[in-house]
Amino acid sequence: MPALVVIGAQWGDEGKGKVVDYLTSRCDMAVRFQGGNNAGHTLVVNGVKTKLNLIPSGILREATTCLIGAGVVLNPEVLMGEIEALRAAKVKVEPQRLLIDFNTHLILPYHIAIDGAREEAKGQNKIGTTGRGIGPAYEDRAARCGVRVADLLALRELKARVDENTEHANRYLEHVLGSARRVGFEDVWQVIENAASHVLPFAADGSRVLDTALRQGNRVIFEGAQGTLLDQSFGTVPFVTSSHTLAGAVTTGCGVGPRSVDYVLGVAKAYSTRVGSGPFPTELSDRIGETIREKGAEFGTVTGRPRRCGWLDAVALRRAVRLNGLDSVMLTKLDVLSGLESLKICASYELDGKSLDDLPVTLGDIGRVVPVYQELKGWNEPIDQARSTAQLPEAARSYVKAVSQLIGCPVSMLSVSPERSATFEHEGSSFLRDFVA
Ligand code: IMP
């Protein structure tokens, strides 16, 4: 076995890519199981920035095989761009190192057109999607008219379906969304032909490869995208993404049984951020929020949008502990809080005079909750050079302790700067240590 799933415990952008990169030093397989190129990982290795949207971060380690599972929606052109960029940076990307499940669905130009036009039509009520066609591609999968990687093996049979899908999309754009956007069949077909030439060589029976790897006792990391509160069922619906972002999605996203995962690691920032619309109880619309945004470089990897920033929300994190069955949490970007005189952690909510220890069920109520904060002393000194808990100021250690107590889950690791070397054990776990040693 040992198989580990890394999950975002907040609204995404928690630093999962960095954690996975850290944990892949002895990893045999790194696997994506949901989402698409709405996700973005920025990794800093030896001072060089590498951005990945689709390919698992494990690709930077030569001994790691990467799998894009069937639960992902894959934009073939983005994938080809990433392969090219990695090759230009002298990273080996060969079909033996990168596998794409035959059942993975493709994002095609009409999905992107619909995503954009729908947001325009919604105006003020827009979800704030990344505009990458993620939702419409998942809709086609559910409607059983999507195009899978396996379909690229039979282009002649595929043509009529793509023609029909394109025509349907154009009618929807014009008559339902009132949009001037149109998609040409030839453009869609060009993408499909390119994918048949350049993506198909990487196609594999991902579920079988993974099953063999697990049976052989290989170390496997399942790399979640987005975060718990963006889950399409248990997040802040409708301001969520269109896939299941929880640990349970590993099974249907890769074709393995629920007993395949041995350890669930949640990743959370030492504060909260959210990009796009939707309720955010601990949001800071003041100088402190701006300071966190500036210091934490809180601008989207995919869209460049400024992220909304706020205090750590232990209510939301407790929900993540429960929904994912987290074994421990890794706390990232603790260094960003240096220099703030006092710090707050939301311990519970209040709504209409009642105390709540979980998110209420309606969107309206989530928007009305008042956070009840626990206030802690801040610390002044920079901590980005710390490489162990002992090197942290006492106030920082107390902050981490308070987080762990409030969420009812151990904090196994801390990260204090973007550098690979700035991640270290806190309440260590022998399971995680085995991935790094
Ligand atoms: P979509 O996934 O592009 O459909 O966007 C739906 C919502 O999820 C929007 O609020 C996005 O900002 C958010 N979202 C999608 N992917 C990410 C991510 O990787 N990090 C943070 N937010 C994301």
Side-chain angles (χ1 to χ4, degrees), residues 136-180:
Y138 278 119
E139 284 168 35
D140 276 3
R141 187 176 82 167
R144 293 153 292 183
C145 64
V147 176
R148 296 177 307 149
V149 171
D151 293 323
L152 301 173
L153 291 167
L155 287 185
R156 207 143 26 103
E157 285 84 342
L158 180 62
K159 212 162 191 172
R161 177 150 36 108
V162 172
D163 192 22
E164 194 180 319
N165 285 356
T166 309
E167 203 190 308
H168 186 271
N170 281 328
R171 272 189 273 133
Y172 181 68
L173 284 165
E174 182 177 1
H175 298 298
V176 179
L177 298 176
S179 167

Side-chain angles (χ1 to χ4, degrees), residues 40-165:
H41 295 324
T42 309
L43 305 171
V44 182
V45 183
N46 302 328
V48 180
K49 264 194 188 175
T50 310
K51 278 189 185 182
L52 294 176
N53 297 105
L54 276 168
I55 300 180
S57 332
I59 200 76
L60 301 181
R61 310 270 190 182
E62 263 195 43
T64 308
T65 302
C66 294
L67 170 67
I68 296 181
V72 170
V73 283
L74 180 122
N75 180 321
E77 299 199 301
V78 170
L79 180 82
M80 290 182 259
E82 271 180 43
I83 293 173
E84 250 172 57
L86 284 167
R87 283 180 175 159
K90 307 255 179 297
V91 177
K92 271 195 202 149
V93 191
E94 307 306 333
Q96 299 80 1
R97 288 209 59 216
L98 175 65
L99 313 173
I100 300 163
D101 196 289
F102 275 116
N103 296 302
T104 307
H105 275 248
L106 300 183
I107 297 180
L108 294 168
Y110 46 77
H111 296 130
I112 298 166
I114 289 173
D115 200 3
R118 223 186 243 158
E119 287 283 85
E120 278 163 17
K122 282 197 163 103
Q124 291 274 55
N125 299 322
K126 69 177 183 191
I127 295 195
T129 73
T130 57
R132 302 302 192 254
I134 307 293
Y138 278 119
E139 284 168 35
D140 276 3
R141 187 176 82 167
R144 293 153 292 183
C145 64
V147 176
R148 296 177 307 149
V149 171
D151 293 323
L152 301 173
L153 291 167
L155 287 185
R156 207 143 26 103
E157 285 84 342
L158 180 62
K159 212 162 191 172
R161 177 150 36 108
V162 172
D163 192 22
E164 194 180 319
N165 285 356

Side-chain angles (χ1 to χ4, degrees), residues 11-14 16 32 35-41 115 119 126-136 138 225-227 229-230 238-243 245 273-278 300-303 305 307-308:
W11 279 280
D13 310 316
E14 297 91 350
K16 296 177 291 294
R32 277 281 306 267
N37 62 311
N38 47 350
H41 295 324
D115 200 3
E119 287 283 85
K126 69 177 183 191
I127 295 195
T129 73
T130 57
R132 302 302 192 254
I134 307 293
Y138 278 119
Q226 291 85 47
L229 293 152
L230 291 173
F239 297 102
V240 292
T241 191
S242 301
S243 67
T245 57
T273 63
R274 169 161 209 169
V275 57
S277 323
T301 320
V302 176
T303 57
R305 290 179 289 182
R307 295 180 185 139
R308 300 155 66 192

Side-chain angles (χ1 to χ4, degrees), residues 281-300:
T282 61
E283 182 165 14
L284 288 164
S285 313
D286 58 6
R287 286 258 313 276
I288 299 180
E290 270 166 42
T291 307
I292 293 176
R293 185 176 310 115
E294 293 298 317
K295 279 191 73 180
E298 295 295 353
F299 298 89

